[in-house]
């Protein structure tokens, strides 16, 4: 039932009872991530509660929060520079590494899913090879979700903890409620205190026990 619910949530059929934050709330948090823009107008610095941004000069890159970059982009005042990790070359490397290491997650920005989605929605004309980039990110997400599912399959009453390194915000948001629910259930039948690290390979002794 645990994995079935996870698959349902991953398929986009969100259930508020299975997630601590909605997809929109996670995306809202991602909008505070910093990104580079290329202004096409001259503007004085903007003084915000969260900080000062600018001044803005045509064709001179400046770093701003993603929400501000999108607001300026909508008004035709800038181009948004895609982050380095969104290049075809880098994403291809990440995808290959994800496939080669079934128990490890490649380091990616914590909000890589939300950032890419926002840029696809509001700055598609600023992203080179956008269709290939979108396809690579979807493939990376699918491979990582499969690893998450595989990790959850290893949960049992003997494990009182679980290590999943380099998860993204969305992946953490999906996994956390399931983990809490599972370990609460196992606590009722306490029989061990092991911590499971799905990033580690099984030893020869472990294989013998199986």
């Amino acid at each position: 039932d645990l994995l079935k619910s996870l698959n349902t949530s991953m398929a986009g059929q969100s259930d508020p009872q299975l997630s601590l934050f909605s997809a929109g709330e996670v995306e809202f948090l991602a909008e505070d991530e910093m990104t580079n823009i290329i202004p096409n107008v001259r503007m004085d610095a903007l003084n915000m509660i969260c900080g000062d941004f600018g001044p803005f000069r045509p064709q001179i890159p400046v770093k701003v929060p993603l929400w501000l970059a999108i607001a300026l982009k909508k008004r035709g005042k800038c181009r948004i520079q895609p982050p380095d990790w969104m290049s075809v070359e880098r994403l291809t490397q990440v995808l290959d590494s994800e496939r080669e290491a079934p128990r490890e997650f490649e380091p990616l920005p914590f909000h890589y899913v939300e950032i890419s989605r926002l840029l696809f929605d509001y700055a598609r004309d600023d992203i080179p090879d956008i269709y290939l980039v979108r396809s690579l990110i979807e493939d990376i997400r699918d491979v990582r979700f499969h690893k998450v599912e595989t990790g959850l399959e290893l949960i049992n009453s003997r494990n009182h903890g679980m290590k999943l390194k380099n998860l993204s915000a969305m992946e953490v948001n999906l996994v956390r409620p399931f983990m809490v629910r599972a370990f609460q259930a196992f606590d009722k039948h306490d029989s061990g205190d092991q911590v499971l690290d799905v990033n580690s390979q099984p030893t020869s002794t472990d294989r013998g026990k199986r």
Side-chain angles (χ1 to χ4, degrees):
D1 291 340
L2 188 68
L3 295 178
K4 182 178 179 181
S5 298
L6 179 62
N7 288 331
T8 299
S9 185
M10 286 179 178
Q13 303 171 15
S14 59
D15 182 342
Q17 299 302 318
L18 301 179
S19 175
L20 296 182
F21 299 98
S22 68
E25 289 170 332
V26 177
E27 188 172 282
F28 177 79
L29 295 174
E31 291 179 354
D32 283 332
E33 296 293 318
M34 301 297 289
T35 191
N36 284 321
I37 64 170
I38 308 295
N40 54 31
V41 296
R42 180 179 293 269
M43 293 172 50
D44 293 332
L46 298 176
N47 307 116
M48 308 284 188
I49 294 176
C50 58
D52 299 332
F53 307 104
F56 303 88
R57 301 292 181 263
Q59 305 308 311
I60 299 179
V62 60
K63 193 175 291 290
V64 299
L66 187 54
W67 62 265
L68 179 56
I70 292 171
L72 293 173
K73 173 71 177 178
K74 286 180 176 179
R75 290 165 176 77
K77 297 182 182 296
C78 75
R79 291 185 294 111
I80 299 178
Q81 281 189 329
D84 292 340
W85 59 267
M86 279 188 68
S87 69
V88 170
E89 180 180 6
R90 174 58 182 151
L91 290 172
T92 301
Q93 293 173 350
V94 170
L95 180 58
D96 290 342
S97 298
E98 292 283 2
R99 285 172 170 167
E100 292 170 0
R103 296 195 175 203
E104 296 179 2
F105 295 82
E106 282 294 296
L108 281 169
F110 188 55
H111 289 287
Y112 84 94
V113 174
E114 294 78 28
I115 291 172
S116 61
R117 183 185 297 129
L118 287 165
L119 293 181
F120 291 149
D121 288 346
Y122 299 106
R124 56 185 301 111
D125 55 323
D126 294 332
I127 304 173
D129 302 309
I130 183 172
Y131 296 108
L132 182 52
V133 169
R134 187 195 298 270
S135 177
L136 286 167
I137 290 177
E138 289 176 352
D139 288 345
I140 290 170
R141 186 182 60 183
D142 290 344
V143 171
R144 290 169 68 97
F145 278 178
H146 177 71
K147 292 181 184 181
V148 169
E149 182 180 75
T150 301
L152 291 177
E153 289 175 344
L154 300 177
I155 297 176
N156 57 56
S157 60
R158 297 174 56 226
N159 302 310
H160 278 199
M162 186 174 182
K163 295 179 181 178
L164 292 167
K165 298 179 181 178
N166 298 322
L167 290 188
S168 71
M170 183 178 63
E171 292 155 357
V172 170
N173 196 46
L174 285 171
V175 170
R176 182 162 42 193
F178 293 97
M179 295 290 292
V180 171
R181 187 178 303 171
F183 289 127
Q184 284 176 342
F186 291 145
D187 272 345
K188 297 179 181 178
H189 306 282
D190 192 357
S191 62
D193 57 359
Q194 297 182 19
V195 175
L196 177 64
D197 186 350
V198 298
N199 299 289
S200 63
Q201 298 294 331
T203 64
S204 57
T205 303
D206 293 333
R207 294 190 186 99
K209 290 179 179 179
R210 294 176 187 173

